[in-house]
């Protein structure tokens, strides 16, 4: 038997074209999947606008002070303002299949700090605030893209950790 070299070249050319089409389709599908999944991940950016120790006194020898907050004696009371923004391109919560489902966003203060109070200072959406010993959360019915909320939190530094307060974010209620 003799092999026809032109038939092999023809089959090789068809296989190359089919392989190229499959590779191009895979690349397009990968980019599409990346774009869709990136736009459907809940993304809440938070920024500490201001943070200060309200009970800091000067280092004058012999000077003593006593502070209380809401009837409770405190040593190192901090207030921090935090701005929260929905930075994804879709609503968070809403109709299943159309929006991202997330009932609230939680924040935690670093160990050694105890939450004393939390208040919403301004909010572009219907947000409700709750807090525990070392965390607070914002619950909402619908949080649209680029809507923001500013929260003021009061924490006591029970371990006298120093010059700053750290906040951590995590999502809960998914």
């Amino acid at each position: 038997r003799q092999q026809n070299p032109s038939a092999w070249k023809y089959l090789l050319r068809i296989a190359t074209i089919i392989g190229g089409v499959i590779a191009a389709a895979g690349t397009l599908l990968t980019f599409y999947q990346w774009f869709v999944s990136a736009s459907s991940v809940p993304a809440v950016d938070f920024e500490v606008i201001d943070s200060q120790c309200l009970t800091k006194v000067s280092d004058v020898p012999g000077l003593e002070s006593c502070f209380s907050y809401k009837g409770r004696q405190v040593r190192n009371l901090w207030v921090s303002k935090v701005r929260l923004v929905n930075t994804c391109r879709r609503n968070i919560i809403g109709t299943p299949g159309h929006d991202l489902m997330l009932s609230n966003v939680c924040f935690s203060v670093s160990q050694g700090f105890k939450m004393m109070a939390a208040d919403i200072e301004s909010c572009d959406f219907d947000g409700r605030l709750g807090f525990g010993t070392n965390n607070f959360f914002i619950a909402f019915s619908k949080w649209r893209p680029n809507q923001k909320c500013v929260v003021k939190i009061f924490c006591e530094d029970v371990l006298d950790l120093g010059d700053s307060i750290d906040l951590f974010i995590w999502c809960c209620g998914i």
Side-chain angles (χ1 to χ4, degrees):
R1 291 182 159 179
Q2 281 190 331
Q3 294 180 349
N4 188 347
S6 63
W8 284 108
K9 285 183 182 179
Y10 180 71
L11 288 175
L12 184 59
R13 182 179 227 173
I14 289 175
T16 303
I17 291 171
I18 291 172
V21 168
I22 291 172
T27 301
L28 290 174
L29 184 62
T30 300
F31 280 122
Y32 174 77
Q33 185 66 27
W34 175 77
F35 178 74
V36 168
S37 67
S39 66
S40 60
V41 173
V44 176
D45 281 356
F46 76 100
E47 172 188 8
V48 177
I49 300 169
D50 186 33
S51 188
Q52 60 182 336
C53 183
L54 299 176
T55 54
K56 187 171 182 153
V57 294
S58 63
D59 294 331
V60 175
L63 179 65
E64 293 182 21
S65 59
C66 182
F67 297 97
S68 65
Y69 180 72
K70 294 187 176 185
R72 185 177 171 276
Q73 192 167 356
V74 293
R75 291 184 346 172
N76 298 311
L77 184 65
W78 285 80
V79 62
S80 295
K81 275 190 197 179
V82 181
R83 178 186 302 123
L84 312 163
V85 181
N86 175 4
T87 56
C88 69
R89 294 180 220 146
R90 294 173 58 191
N91 296 333
I92 300 177
I93 204 63
T95 310
H98 297 290
D99 297 327
L100 305 174
M101 299 301 292
L102 184 67
S103 61
N104 54 56
V105 178
C106 300
F107 298 84
S108 176
V109 293
S110 52
Q111 286 188 337
F113 284 88
K114 181 179 177 184
M115 291 284 298
M116 302 292 289
D119 297 312
I120 293 179
E121 190 169 274
S122 65
C123 200
D124 296 345
F125 57 92
D126 181 29
R128 295 165 310 283
L129 191 67
F131 71 95
T133 304
N134 68 342
N135 60 41
F136 70 95
F137 66 90
I138 293 187
F140 44 85
S141 57
K142 186 176 265 191
W143 192 349
R144 292 184 172 88
N146 298 317
Q147 285 184 325
K148 60 184 168 281
C149 187
V150 176
V151 177
K152 186 186 286 189
I153 61 169
F154 294 87
C155 297
E156 182 181 15
D157 179 359
V158 293
L159 298 179
D160 198 16
L161 295 174
D163 297 334
S164 68
I165 180 173
D166 294 323
L167 296 173
F168 304 98
I169 184 172
W170 78 92
C171 296
C172 50
I174 296 177

